[in-house]
Amino acid sequence: MSNVHEARSALGQRLRELRLSAGQTGKQLAESLSWPPSKVSKLENGNQTPTDEDIRGWTRTVGREEETEGLLASLHTLEVQHAEWQRQFKAGLKPHQNEIAELDAKTHLFRAFEATVIPGLLQTAEYARARFAQGITMFKVSNDINEAVRARSQRQEILYRPDKRFHFVLTEAALRFQLCAPEVMIGQLDRLVTLSALPNVRLGIIGFETRYVVAPWHGFWILDTDRVMVETFSAELNLAQPQEIELYGNVFDQLAAVASYGRAARAIITRVIDDLAPDESEAGA
């Protein structure tokens, strides 16, 4: 969705489809719910946001109560479905890190796939600094990198909580893209090796030689079974439709199934470190 109005219009269109499939006119539906006739038109055209009770009443009246949860999920994420970075970063980078920390506290199972970058929860301070610097350049927001790095580092304490479980899947490309200085990347890769040994962290690496079943189009995070988060250049998408979560869950399972774990994963990481490290002859020159 390009904006909240389009998301609301899509929800209204779905409500209209349910009404028409039940063979009811807008006037009949309004009378059944004791609404003014104009309310049905406003909801269907995206000119008014429905309440939870509006959704429940609508599905009950048209005999499609099995659609209620999916519609409520769309409603509850309406305002955050397309959260533009420019708007989120108005107050700087740190507040967004604090918002994510609140989500982290509520989540018990984290599943993350990244094709191009190291996930924030696994980043070293130096790697995070490089990522935040890009955000400041792109979005021309206030420079609070030091505060943002500290906030991200504090978020990472969640990795050591036994009640949280993490499953990360990265491509080898994410280990090799030159998004920071080589010495910073070597330190980042070394941290991945260390974190892969945590009992509640499962780290999978998809090597270049691996045959994919599902193409790695973009990175995404699945928080429990409640939300999928996708980052684009312009915005953070928050998806909560049951069918969307199920789809991303299946995609994650396919990607995770072809990844290497344990010693095999660490071997890939070590190979990349060796490729990045200067030759002994160069180091001694």
Side-chain angles (χ1 to χ4, degrees):
M1 297 301 171
S2 62
N3 53 47
V4 171
H5 177 70
E6 287 189 17
R8 191 164 53 219
S9 295
L11 177 57
Q13 177 63 35
R14 182 59 185 145
L15 292 174
R16 179 187 289 113
E17 292 170 356
L18 293 177
R19 174 179 63 77
L20 292 176
S21 67
Q24 294 191 27
T25 65
K27 182 179 179 181
Q28 290 172 329
L29 179 63
E31 289 176 350
S32 298
L33 293 167
S34 300
W35 290 351
S38 61
K39 181 171 179 177
V40 172
S41 176
K42 288 178 180 178
L43 292 176
E44 290 185 347
N45 290 309
N47 295 323
Q48 180 176 331
T49 301
T51 65
D52 285 19
E53 286 309 307
D54 290 341
I55 295 291
R56 292 191 178 95
W58 193 295
T59 55
R60 183 176 62 252
T61 302
V62 300
R64 296 293 297 276
E65 290 182 274
E66 72 277 7
E67 299 284 342
T68 303
E69 291 306 313
L71 291 169
L72 287 175
S74 294
L75 174 62
H76 294 161
T77 59
L78 194 58
E79 297 301 326
V80 296
Q81 195 170 47
H82 187 275
E84 296 179 1
W85 295 126
Q86 286 281 12
R87 177 161 52 83
Q88 291 195 76
F89 292 159
K90 274 185 179 179
L93 301 169
K94 180 184 176 182
H96 182 60
Q97 291 300 304
N98 292 337
E99 290 175 9
I100 298 177
E102 292 179 9
L103 271 177
D104 291 346
K106 300 174 185 176
T107 303
H108 294 284
L109 172 61
F110 299 76
R111 287 173 289 171
F113 169 73
E114 291 291 0
T116 58
V117 298
I118 305 302
L121 284 178
L122 304 180
Q123 292 177 6
T124 63
E126 294 79 8
Y127 185 94
R129 187 177 298 278
R131 309 307 330 120
F132 286 133
Q134 176 185 306
I136 289 173
T137 300
M138 287 182 61
F139 304 113
K140 298 178 174 59
V141 295
S142 59
N143 188 336
D144 62 344
I145 286 184
N146 292 335
E147 292 83 357
V149 170
R150 278 196 293 270
R152 176 160 288 180
S153 296
Q154 290 172 354
R155 277 183 56 212
Q156 294 174 352
E157 294 174 3
I158 200 171
L159 291 169
Y160 303 95
R161 287 182 48 177
D163 61 322
K164 307 286 187 179
R165 291 187 296 130
F166 305 87
H167 188 170
F168 299 100
V169 177
L170 312 180
T171 66
E172 184 174 343
L175 311 183
R176 291 185 178 273
F177 278 129
Q178 298 183 39
L179 304 179
C180 57
E183 61 271 19
V184 170
M185 196 63 198
I186 290 174
Q188 174 62 73
L189 295 174
D190 185 63
R191 176 166 170 76
L192 289 183
V193 172
T194 300
L195 292 177
S196 70
L198 291 178
N200 59 333
V201 172
R202 192 173 187 219
L203 176 62
I205 307 294
I206 304 177
F208 280 145
E209 71 284 355
T210 303
R211 176 74 177 270
Y212 282 87
V213 177
V214 176
W217 289 115
H218 59 76
F220 58 89
W221 287 67
I222 308 175
L223 308 183
D224 289 327
T225 55
D226 303 322
R227 176 187 302 210
V228 175
M229 299 174 68
V230 180
E231 294 185 0
T232 71
F233 277 110
S234 63
E236 175 185 87
L237 306 181
N238 290 269
L239 311 177
Q241 285 275 13
Q243 63 267 30
E244 291 176 315
I245 296 171
E246 181 179 6
L247 172 63
Y248 273 90
N250 290 336
V251 170
F252 184 85
D253 289 343
Q254 295 276 9
L255 293 167
V258 298
S260 297
Y261 295 88
R263 290 182 179 178
R266 288 189 284 273
I268 296 173
I269 299 171
T270 302
R271 184 173 70 213
V272 179
I273 292 175
D274 290 342
D275 290 343
L276 284 173
D279 292 337
E280 290 185 9
S281 58
E282 294 178 2

